Amino acid sequence: MFDSYRAQDRATAEALIAPDFVFTSPQDDHIDRAAYFERCFPTADRFTRQELLHVVEVGAEDVVMVYEYDVRDGGTFRNAELLTVVDGRLTEVQVFFGGAAR
């Protein structure tokens, strides 16, 4: 999913995201799949680099990932996400914004 977002490969992303998908971040409160594809998915162009730093399984269906990214208008930041995967498809993503990494 991370790669499909960066490449803006919507077909692959749609195959990986469950129909009942829910996305939450400090800017989006429990939005559905359609709203995610409209608002969030097209934003990959604001990043010049994204690197996964940690991916940790924390339960039968949950994974936590921490990543670092650079934005076009300057700065390096870190975020964490809690992803829920059921039957190989994302059902929920909760994003926690971090501060500047450097």
Side-chain angles (χ1 to χ4, degrees):
M1 182 57 203
F2 197 79
D3 290 340
S4 68
Y5 168 72
R6 289 289 294 144
Q8 287 297 279
D9 179 355
R10 185 164 172 159
T12 298
E14 286 182 355
L16 294 171
I17 294 177
D20 59 346
F21 176 74
V22 176
F23 181 88
T24 299
S25 78
Q27 298 171 336
D28 305 285
D29 188 16
H30 293 87
I31 62 174
D32 65 12
R33 185 178 195 268
Y36 169 78
F37 276 113
E38 180 183 317
R39 283 192 236 171
C40 305
F41 190 77
T43 64
D45 65 342
R46 57 182 290 255
F47 304 106
T48 60
R49 179 186 70 87
Q50 269 186 301
E51 177 184 353
L52 285 173
L53 301 175
H54 307 284
V55 179
V56 180
E57 187 176 328
V58 293
E61 298 176 335
D62 294 323
V63 172
V64 171
M65 71 176 194
V66 177
Y67 54 92
E68 186 174 279
Y69 60 96
D70 300 330
V71 292
R72 287 202 185 283
D73 52 352
T76 299
F77 302 89
R78 286 192 180 147
N79 287 353
E81 296 188 9
L82 174 62
L83 297 89
T84 302
V85 180
V86 177
D87 296 327
R89 297 181 85 187
L90 278 172
T91 59
E92 184 171 11
V93 172
Q94 298 175 59
V95 180
F96 304 92
F97 290 171
R102 298 182 193 147

